[in-house]
Amino acid sequence: MEYDENGVSIVPSEFKKEIFEEAGKDFRYQEYVRGCLNCGVCTGGCPPHRFFDFSPRIVLQNMKSKDPELIWTMMDEYIWACFQCFTCAMICPFLNSPGGIIAILREIAVRRGFESAKKVLKPYSRVLLKLTAYGNQLSPDMIQPDFFPDWGPTIGYASTDLAVKRKAIPMPTLQVTNLSWDVAPEAMKELYAIFDEAGVFKIIEAVDPSLYEIIQDIVDDVRSS
Amino acid sequence: MSENILVVGGGPAGLNAAVMLSELGVNVALVERDSFLGGNPKKFKYKFLFPDMQPADNVIGELIKKAEAGGGIKVYYSSEISDFKENGKKFDVTLKSADGSEKKTFDSVIVATGFEHFDPARDAKYSYQLFDDVIDIKDLERMMGENNFVRPSNGKPPKKIAFILCVGSRDRHVGNQYCSRVCCTVSVKQAIELREHFPDCEAYIFYMDIRTYGFFEDLYWQAMEEYDVQIVKGRIAEITSGPDNTVICKGEDTLLRGPFEIPFDMVVLASGMEGGPQSPEISSKLGIELDEHGFLKPENITLSPFKSNKPGIFLAGACTGPKAISDSITEGAAAAMNAYTYAVKNR
Ligand SMILES: Cc1cc2nc3c(=O)[nH]c(=O)nc-3n(C[C@H](O)[C@H](O)[C@H](O)COP(=O)(O)OP(=O)(O)OC[C@H]3O[C@@H](n4cnc5c(N)ncnc54)[C@H](O)[C@@H]3O)c2cc1C
Ligand code: SF4
Ligand code: SF4
Ligand code: SF4
């Protein structure tokens, strides 16, 4: 990467164009980007719009401009402000899906291992590891105040005495706290096959190479078992 | 022997067609579904009409008077077509009312069945019917027509009121992609009337485009210059209830404020025009075409907007799409001319 005198990376315009074209080729693009009335309904209904300088209307307008520069400006921070709630798609009178476009752009950022994607996905590495290693997304011992600030003030209570609380659940819970449920090795192998096909491992390799190595070891173990 | 022509629908378009035909000496049967003439302007008691704020009675009242004066017009109130058959170049029609049925042969037919107001309850984000203080332009027309303009929730005059444009129009979710043409001007007109009669009530208009086309633009400028109506660019995303018995409009001011949530005493939805259930009904009964918007389809929208695809059946007014009263009246005259020519040629 080249840098200018202020240390800001210089991104060649060909590269920006390539990113735009990659988005345009996505099979969902035609469905998500239609006409736009610039009416602001999507933004009016968008939850993060009230907290950040962020507007799904601008996302759609930038996309419709077909200007690679404008689209590039969103890749760093803009697209990560979205909650992916799809309220915008539900209320847009033109049936656009600004949230869907954001999903497309995020996938590009992830596939290509952009810094922004790495930063955003960092907190999820534990989830990814759990998922690939045990087929569980979340286990009780992952519920800790530092990792779930958005769970509100009771998270502290929720994260203590897990073993006892777990016993109180009137369903088979394995009586452990590092797993939510037991996944059979056959199911794990199927899951890996799906991850392979869908390019999930490639994505993990792009955004977090060291996590990728750990995961690969586990995958090899399970596959050879 | 004079010609016999059937006019279906007694709104501005049908009324003018009937009156012009009777002046030509034609025997006109004017069939009206309601128990009164005058169409939507009468039903919802429009009081003053855009563009020049003249009393609606000047226009609608005049036409009704002429139609009811007898002459060559026989009005069938609370009536509909129960049977319709082509008979060579003529039409055999059975008219049904509470008093019974009557079978007649007509030389030609004019359809002027008009429009229905979009029901804003169909778009949940506006909370119409959920909050008493959310009404629509036809409700407001009626309230002002009855000199009864107060907040439905508590009977007090509002201090701050919002108009929301394009409700039920230009929206794929509700199935209406078209612009209803009159609702911008109606809203601007109503905002002016409000500010005139209740100067301490603030009025806001939330728009995505202001379509006060042609000379209607005068009202738009007047609303800003003389009546200090606040005009904000941004469609409302949601209406919720607020403190102190208010309704909150939530949206994006796309030019100035960004996100906003503004409490109002009352919200008026500019609901648009639809072909209504009568358009498909009359289309299948008479065998004439319906368009993709749910209105009746003229043979050629530019060359002959007043002709149906079937010879001898003519169209007038809002049954072929949203339009103002003046256009409806003009089309009534054009359809009358064409229906008369057809009748004379095939006598
Ligand atoms: C809120 C509002 C305010 C408006 N204000 C203005 C204004 O200030 N100035 C202006 O120029 N325009 C105004 N308009 C537009 C105006 O209302 C229309 O242009 C006009 O009413 C159209 O006339 P019409 O005769 O085509 O239809 P309508 O007024 O709809 O009349 C149609 C008639 O046909 C009857 N009918 C329907 N089906 C049948 C059937 N099968 N058999 C028998 N009878 C039938 C109906 O009962 C009705 O009486 C306004 C519109 C709205 C929505
Ligand atoms: S999906 Fe994203 S852009 Fe759309 S409303 Fe939700 S947060 Fe806003
Ligand atoms: S709601 Fe749809 S039409 Fe309106 S500004 Fe957003 S994307 Fe454009
Ligand atoms: S006339 Fe105005 S309010 Fe009515 S649909 Fe058209 S733009 Fe919207």
Side-chain angles (χ1 to χ4, degrees):
Chain A
M1 188 89 62
E2 264 189 85
Y3 296 90
D4 67 10
E5 67 272 22
N6 298 316
V8 178
S9 59
I10 300 168
V11 180
S13 58
E14 290 76 49
F15 186 71
K16 295 174 185 168
K17 204 164 152 237
E18 199 182 306
I19 296 301
F20 167 59
E21 279 165 2
E22 193 171 331
K25 276 200 234 86
D26 190 286
F27 72 100
R28 295 159 294 183
Y29 186 88
Q30 295 298 331
E31 193 191 324
Y32 291 171
V33 184
R34 304 176 183 221
C36 174
L37 299 158
N38 241 322
C39 67
V41 166
C42 52
T43 306
C46 170
H49 175 51
R50 299 158 77 204
F51 306 106
F52 312 112
D53 177 18
F54 169 74
S55 154
R57 178 177 61 83
I58 299 290
V59 173
L60 205 99
Q61 284 291 320
N62 282 348
M63 223 58 213
K64 285 205 72 68
S65 76
K66 295 186 183 288
D67 179 346
E69 290 294 333
L70 282 179
I71 292 152
W72 179 256
T73 58
M74 303 195 289
M75 296 302 285
D76 225 20
E77 280 189 356
Y78 215 79
I79 54 169
W80 303 103
C82 165
F83 296 176
Q84 291 284 285
C85 67
F86 288 92
T87 307
C88 51
M90 251 172 60
I91 56 180
C92 168
F94 237 113
L95 304 188
N96 290 311
S97 179
I101 296 159
I102 288 171
I104 293 175
L105 295 177
R106 283 182 176 185
E107 285 167 26
I108 293 173
V110 170
R111 271 201 303 273
R112 289 177 175 257
F114 286 176
E115 278 311 311
S116 63
K118 288 184 183 166
K119 209 166 80 192
V120 170
L121 290 177
K122 197 83 207 154
Y124 293 98
S125 55
R126 293 185 332 142
V127 176
L128 279 173
L129 182 60
K130 206 58 150 192
L131 194 62
T132 40
Y134 304 110
N136 286 203
Q137 188 193 15
L138 203 60
S139 57
D141 64 356
M142 289 165 75
I143 301 170
Q144 290 154 17
D146 287 354
F147 290 96
F148 294 91
D150 54 331
W151 279 26
T154 51
I155 177 76
Y157 169 76
S159 60
T160 56
D161 299 328
L162 287 169
V164 178
K165 283 178 187 150
R166 193 101 164 117
K167 286 203 174 81
I169 297 175
M171 287 184 292
T173 57
L174 306 174
Q175 307 299 351
V176 293
T177 57
N178 64 339
L179 276 182
S180 295
W181 57 83
D182 209 6
V183 180
E186 288 69 33
M188 290 303 298
K189 284 177 195 166
E190 280 175 17
L191 194 62
Y192 294 155
I194 294 170
F195 284 177
D196 259 335
E197 278 298 311
V200 173
F201 289 133
K202 274 211 195 82
I203 289 171
I204 299 174
E205 190 178 9
V207 292
D208 197 338
S210 48
L211 176 70
Y212 175 72
E213 275 182 28
I214 302 172
I215 288 175
Q216 273 315 305
D217 286 347
I218 300 170
V219 171
D220 289 346
D221 272 359
V222 174
R223 276 185 167 158
S224 60
S225 67
Chain B
M1 197 194 79
S2 44
E3 295 71 25
N4 290 297
I5 296 180
L6 170 66
V7 177
V8 191
L15 280 172
N16 195 43
V19 168
M20 301 216 63
L21 287 170
S22 80
E23 282 170 5
L24 286 166
V26 172
N27 289 323
V28 182
L30 176 57
V31 185
E32 170 54 55
R33 194 172 55 171
D34 279 328
S35 59
F36 53 88
L37 293 176
N40 273 299
K42 194 73 184 173
K43 193 165 173 181
F44 290 95
K45 303 196 164 77
Y46 300 179
K47 197 171 182 188
F48 298 104
L49 300 181
F50 68 73
D52 57 356
M53 301 290 204
Q54 66 173 306
D57 216 36
N58 275 6
V59 178
I60 312 300
E62 268 316 291
L63 286 170
I64 296 175
K65 218 188 295 165
K66 282 189 188 162
E68 288 182 337
I73 304 177
K74 180 166 182 204
V75 185
Y76 294 76
Y77 297 97
S78 308
S79 302
E80 283 190 56
I81 297 175
S82 65
D83 195 50
F84 189 91
K85 272 195 199 74
E86 283 167 71
N87 174 2
K89 304 227 170 210
K90 298 180 196 287
F91 305 92
D92 289 337
V93 183
T94 311
L95 304 174
K96 200 179 94 210
S97 69
D99 309 332
S101 291
E102 195 176 324
K103 204 174 160 196
K104 290 183 93 170
T105 299
F106 294 100
D107 299 307
S108 55
V109 178
I110 295 174
V111 177
T113 45
F115 71 100
E116 291 288 317
H117 296 89
F118 172 79
D119 175 8
R122 262 168 51 202
D123 194 338
K125 65 175 175 287
Y126 297 120
S127 304
Y128 184 77
Q129 282 179 349
L130 192 62
F131 305 134
D132 291 342
D133 291 328
V134 178
I135 62 168
D136 82 351
I137 46 173
K138 73 169 182 318
D139 303 331
L140 183 59
E141 244 351 282
R142 173 143 53 189
M143 278 174 146
M144 296 204 286
E146 292 171 347
N147 287 319
N148 178 34
F149 175 61
V150 288
R151 299 181 63 186
S153 67
N154 61 9
K156 291 187 184 140
K159 289 269 174 278
K160 196 169 175 180
I161 191 163
F163 288 85
I164 300 177
L165 301 191
C166 300
V167 171
S169 308
R170 308 177 68 195
D171 190 336
R172 282 188 174 137
H173 279 293
V174 300
N176 295 338
Q177 200 174 309
Y178 56 86
C179 161
S180 289
R181 285 176 101 199
V182 299
C183 14
C184 273
T185 316
V186 172
S187 303
V188 169
K189 179 206 76 159
Q190 291 182 339
I192 289 176
E193 281 180 83
L194 280 179
R195 295 280 297 155
E196 196 163 73
H197 296 293
F198 309 92
D200 55 350
C201 177
E202 284 179 81
Y204 282 66
I205 294 179
F206 295 101
Y207 74 101
M208 108 176 137
D209 304 281
I210 297 272
R211 294 187 168 168
T212 44
Y213 59 100
F215 298 153
F216 301 167
E217 184 77 357
D218 293 345
L219 283 177
Y220 176 32
W221 289 38
Q222 206 184 352
M224 284 187 276
E225 289 181 350
E226 289 171 40
Y227 292 93
D228 200 17
V229 176
Q230 294 292 316
I231 299 186
V232 180
K233 187 164 182 352
R235 204 167 174 167
I236 298 302
E238 200 181 353
I239 296 180
T240 53
S241 68
D244 305 324
N245 192 26
T246 53
V247 272
I248 293 180
C249 288
K250 188 175 153 194
E252 182 199 11
D253 179 339
T254 58
L255 299 179
L256 218 56
R257 297 175 181 80
F260 67 77
E261 280 173 34
I262 307 178
F264 290 94
D265 293 335
M266 246 174 119
V267 173
V268 184
L269 308 173
S271 37
M273 292 163 105
E274 287 190 325
Q278 69 264 40
S279 295
E281 263 169 43
I282 210 91
S283 147
S284 64
K285 199 169 272 172
L286 274 57
I288 54 179
E289 268 184 77
L290 200 66
D291 72 9
E292 71 272 29
H293 303 292
F295 289 86
L296 297 173
K297 187 175 181 175
E299 176 198 58
N300 180 321
I301 189 112
T302 311
L303 181 65
S304 44
F306 39 77
K307 273 188 187 164
S308 81
N309 60 307
K310 195 168 257 189
I313 304 182
F314 302 89
L315 309 170
C319 63
T320 56
K323 56 181 65 90
I325 293 177
S326 55
D327 296 328
S328 304
I329 286 182
T330 308
E331 284 186 5
M337 178 66 193
N338 278 266
Y340 182 68
T341 312
Y342 181 92
V344 170
K345 270 193 193 155
N346 297 303
R347 195 154 38 187

